[in-house]
Amino acid sequence: PPELSLASDTSADTDADTGPDGSGPGGEVTDLDAIDSSVRPSPRSEVYGVADPSTNSILVFGGNEGPVVNQRPTSIFIEETWIFEPGFGWVELDIEMPSARSRYGAAYDPTAERALIFGGRYRIEGGSGAYDLFDELWSFDFASQTWTLIDAGGGPSPRTYPSVIWDDQEQALYVFGGMVNADPMVIEVSQELWRFKDGEWEQLSMSGDVPSQRTFLSEAWDSQRRRLVIFAGQVGDYWTYAYNETYALNIDTLEWEELNDGGDAPSTRMHPHLTYDTERDRYLMFGGHTDIGDGNDLWEMDPDNGKWSLIRKADSFTGEGLGCNGNGSDVPADYVDQDLTAPERRHRGMFTLMYDTLWIFGGMHAECSDHLDDTWRYPLDGGDWKELIEARAGESCARRGDDCLCLCY
């Protein structure tokens, strides 16, 4: 189908022709800790962050800001496009864009300097029953700050949580897995692999040590070895124990290989965050929802020997059971030993690598049953976590400086 360009309603600031030296549309970045204002997106989760160093931009689109009511999640899907400029802060773009959605997959095309998103879901606020699932492929051009509908369907079926990667050498997009059930009471996990190249979709066959059926996993693109890397995940029912194996799919041979069988690895978890550090040739993993609660640990993995190593421990679980203030499901204050110098534990937020720095925003904190809206950075060349914008929601009592009976109230 022809491409449909959605132009900005206002003039985009695209004067800077910049690179990874740290300059951007707001001017040259001299202090990555600097923030011009506390303006930021509302608390939300189920998003990706896509970084473009040429414009000093990290894109966050859409997401879910629905509250958890009586320990049951609700959905309020968002139709917003936000840009975080390191050294400056957040800005919301007043442009046309894809309709509200969350749980999409995203990738970065460095040659075209664009973000690509595929899939996702939507349901009207207060609605129940089946969700609307998407099979559209959209691109966001960082220079012009415009969205373009590249493909309106005809390839992979509509789905949530697809793993999406861009192979810049081949100029092709790959989509693996995801959940294809619109009914939340049904579990239907895809194990398909699709490629979008030269405007056409093609389903591909895989071989080798194919991972067992799983979703809620994390993915990264290893451009040096030309492989899709996935870590952890779960069968899709939220109740069964999660996984912690690491697998890689060679894009040239379409063969899977198990890199780590879960031994000496981060604990089993769903919805972790994963990226590839090209400068140090390693995979970096942060947080996610473990079988006993959210995490904020930071790990690295050697791609050649499959060995995981802990970089930053942060919070640790004490072994205390659930139950607080007469409610057996509430979380007691001593459920975790908290490291208040680290970000709150979370899953499914922004986790992006740019300027040799990890950047995080938002996500869901399961134990507090709330979304986060804080912004942090972690320098990979030394130093520690730095909070740039404080959270207004989602943090434990200790992190927000309150004296509470339970962990979060």
Side-chain angles (χ1 to χ4, degrees):
E3 293 187 355
L4 171 65
S5 178
L6 298 184
S8 171
D9 291 338
T10 58
S11 298
D13 184 2
T14 59
D15 295 334
D17 182 15
T18 61
D21 58 348
S23 56
E28 184 173 351
V29 179
T30 58
D31 182 5
L32 293 179
D33 291 336
I35 294 291
D36 285 348
S37 80
S38 61
V39 171
R40 90 295 290 272
S42 61
R44 65 189 63 187
S45 63
E46 301 174 6
V47 297
Y48 273 83
V50 182
D52 176 52
S54 68
T55 57
N56 187 44
S57 301
I58 301 175
L59 168 74
V60 171
F61 168 72
N64 176 19
E65 62 180 4
V68 177
V69 180
N70 296 325
Q71 299 176 352
R72 296 181 64 87
T74 64
S75 297
I76 300 177
F77 296 101
I78 309 164
E79 184 181 343
E80 294 176 356
T81 300
W82 286 82
I83 296 292
F84 179 72
E85 297 176 331
F88 301 95
W90 288 96
V91 60
E92 183 180 2
L93 302 184
D94 182 16
I95 61 175
E96 295 186 52
M97 66 193 76
S99 60
R101 67 195 64 186
S102 73
R103 301 192 179 188
Y104 52 83
Y108 177 61
D109 173 358
T111 296
E113 297 175 357
R114 62 178 179 169
L116 296 157
I117 71 168
F118 175 81
R121 74 174 187 175
Y122 170 81
R123 189 169 67 189
I124 190 171
E125 182 178 347
S128 60
Y131 290 87
D132 294 329
L133 304 188
F134 297 101
D135 59 357
E136 302 166 337
L137 176 61
W138 289 84
S139 72
F140 176 81
D141 181 82
F142 282 95
S144 64
Q145 296 186 334
T146 56
W147 285 98
T148 299
L149 178 62
I150 297 176
D151 187 84
S157 59
R159 64 193 60 204
T160 60
Y161 292 135
S163 293
V164 178
I165 60 168
W166 173 261
D167 178 3
D168 204 51
Q169 178 178 318
E170 190 184 6
Q171 290 290 291
L173 184 83
Y174 288 84
V175 174
F176 169 72
M179 300 190 73
V180 296
N181 53 289
D183 184 344
M185 304 304 294
V186 175
I187 301 170
E188 191 173 355
V189 178
S190 170
Q191 292 284 89
E192 298 172 345
L193 177 69
W194 289 79
R195 177 175 60 199
F196 185 79
K197 183 178 180 180
D198 298 328
E200 299 291 336
W201 286 105
E202 179 185 6
Q203 187 174 357
L204 305 172
S205 298
M206 301 168 288
S207 61
D209 194 3
V210 181
S212 61
Q213 177 178 298
R214 63 193 61 198
T215 184
F216 309 151
L217 50 84
S218 59
E219 71 284 322
W221 169 240
D222 182 341
S223 55
Q224 178 173 318
R225 296 166 184 81
R226 294 181 47 73
R227 63 189 189 186
L228 162 68
V229 180
I230 65 170
F231 169 70
Q234 200 255 2
V235 296
D237 63 2
Y238 294 98
W239 300 108
T240 306
Y241 285 128
Y243 301 115
N244 66 340
E245 305 101 327
T246 309
Y247 288 88
L249 173 67
N250 184 297
I251 290 300
D252 294 321
T253 65
L254 299 181
E255 291 186 5
W256 282 99
E257 175 188 3
E258 186 179 60
L259 303 181
N260 185 290
D261 64 2
D264 297 323
S267 61
T268 54
R269 63 192 67 198
M270 303 180 283
H271 305 303
H273 310 87
L274 189 70
T275 193
Y276 176 50
D277 178 4
T278 57
E279 182 170 338
R280 294 169 183 81
D281 190 25
R282 60 180 178 172
Y283 309 139
L284 296 170
M285 191 284 301
F286 171 73
H289 187 68
T290 77
D291 288 322
I292 55 175
D294 282 334
N296 56 358
D297 44 347
L298 180 63
W299 291 73
E300 66 177 355
M301 179 181 155
D302 185 321
D304 291 327
N305 62 26
K307 181 180 178 181
W308 282 100
S309 302
L310 181 63
I311 300 176
R312 180 66 159 79
K313 183 178 180 181
D315 295 7
S316 59
F317 296 100
T318 63
E320 185 70 21
L322 295 178
C324 181
N325 198 26
N327 188 326
S329 299
D330 280 340
V331 183
D334 59 352
Y335 189 72
V336 291
D337 183 9
Q338 300 181 73
D339 179 351
L340 302 184
T341 65
E344 182 60 89
R345 294 169 296 114
R346 70 192 66 202
H347 65 274
R348 282 292 171 182
M350 177 187 97
F351 178 73
T352 308
L353 173 58
M354 185 167 71
Y355 304 152
D356 207 25
T357 296
L358 295 172
W359 305 87
I360 67 171
F361 160 80
M364 168 63 78
H365 182 200
E367 285 88 296
C368 285
S369 299
D370 205 354
H371 309 278
L372 292 148
D373 64 349
D374 51 351
T375 305
W376 292 71
R377 82 177 191 96
Y378 186 89
L380 296 177
D381 59 355
D384 201 3
W385 284 110
K386 174 71 174 180
E387 186 176 36
L388 305 179
I389 302 178
E390 295 182 358
R392 298 172 297 189
E395 288 189 319
S396 68
C397 294
R399 279 195 163 84
R400 63 178 186 260
D402 292 342
D403 184 15
C404 304
L405 180 63
C406 302
L407 183 70
C408 305
Y409 73 93

